[in-house]
Amino acid sequence: ALDHVEMHFPEEETQALLKQEYERAYRRYHNKYEGQSLKNKIVQFLMRKGYEYSDITSLLEEVWSEDNE
């Protein structure tokens, strides 16, 4: 009965939650991984949480250029 229920949140709220989860994933993995391996682990973590790949990659492009240059 509830197989195809989708919940929609406002874009700003989703982005704020995604950023929080990104920071959580970064703290979890940054001591063990670096570079592309770290990115991959963060993407996997966020996708398991249910975020869209396109949203994740947009955030990573934004944050990664700030943090790692």
Side-chain angles (χ1 to χ4, degrees):
L2 296 176
D3 291 344
H4 293 86
V5 173
E6 288 188 34
M7 297 182 69
H8 295 283
F9 296 102
E11 183 70 22
E12 307 81 43
E13 189 177 326
T14 301
Q15 293 304 318
L17 291 170
L18 176 57
K19 180 115 173 149
Q20 284 180 335
E21 291 290 351
Y22 163 80
E23 290 167 359
R24 195 166 146 217
Y26 184 84
R27 284 192 306 271
R28 178 178 288 185
Y29 295 120
H30 82 279
N31 288 327
K32 289 184 186 175
Y33 303 96
E34 59 185 38
Q36 192 61 45
S37 296
L38 176 58
K39 267 187 181 179
N40 291 343
K41 283 290 181 186
I42 291 172
V43 168
Q44 291 168 5
F45 177 89
L46 295 172
M47 289 195 71
R48 283 194 305 270
K49 294 284 184 178
Y51 292 99
E52 295 290 327
Y53 183 74
S54 58
D55 292 338
I56 295 168
T57 54
S58 296
L59 176 69
L60 282 178
E61 286 172 11
E62 176 188 316
V63 175
W64 218 256
S65 60
E66 293 170 5
D67 289 350
N68 294 301
E69 288 186 358

